[in-house]
Amino acid sequence: MVLNRGLFEQSCHRLHDSAAQLGFPCDTRSDQRGNLFIILRNSWMDGPRVVNVEYHVVFSDAYQMPVLYFLAHDDLGKPLQLETVWRILSLPGEQWSSLSQQMSNKPSGCLTSSQPTGAC
């Protein structure tokens, strides 16, 4: 089965409904072009600090597939270093092929993508 934009949007609505039933913070939004995407939030302890992560799942026109972006910061709002994200996620193998870090125009700092884009 090929995942197209319509099926992706249906999946976003189902994920949103499931997350709401489980009490997991979740939003569905549309971008400036009307494309639907979903935002999930999670927090956990990493040693003495709280790690907050906001996940954005969007449909990529370029790749014709969903792409996961996430913002990771501590409880004071300071963005986590990419090396810290690698340690938390325990990513195997070539790390730059798994994650890249980009500066965003958002005040929260960096936008991190699971799309294999290489080093920024």
Side-chain angles (χ1 to χ4, degrees), residues 29-90:
R29 297 188 186 160
S30 294
D31 65 14
Q32 302 90 340
R33 294 177 286 167
N35 298 319
L36 184 73
F37 64 96
I38 193 158
I39 300 172
L40 303 161
R41 293 175 189 83
N42 196 9
S43 298
W44 66 87
M45 295 299 294
D46 178 42
R49 70 176 167 187
V50 175
V51 173
N52 298 294
V53 179
E54 184 174 288
Y55 305 90
H56 295 230
V57 183
V58 300
F59 191 83
S60 168
D61 289 324
Y63 294 102
Q64 290 295 299
M65 63 186 304
V67 178
L68 170 67
Y69 294 94
F70 61 94
L71 302 166
H73 56 87
D74 65 17
D75 54 337
L76 300 175
K78 180 181 174 191
L80 298 182
Q81 296 294 318
L82 188 56
E83 291 77 13
T84 303
V85 174
W86 285 332
R87 181 182 53 75
I88 291 170
L89 297 178
S90 301

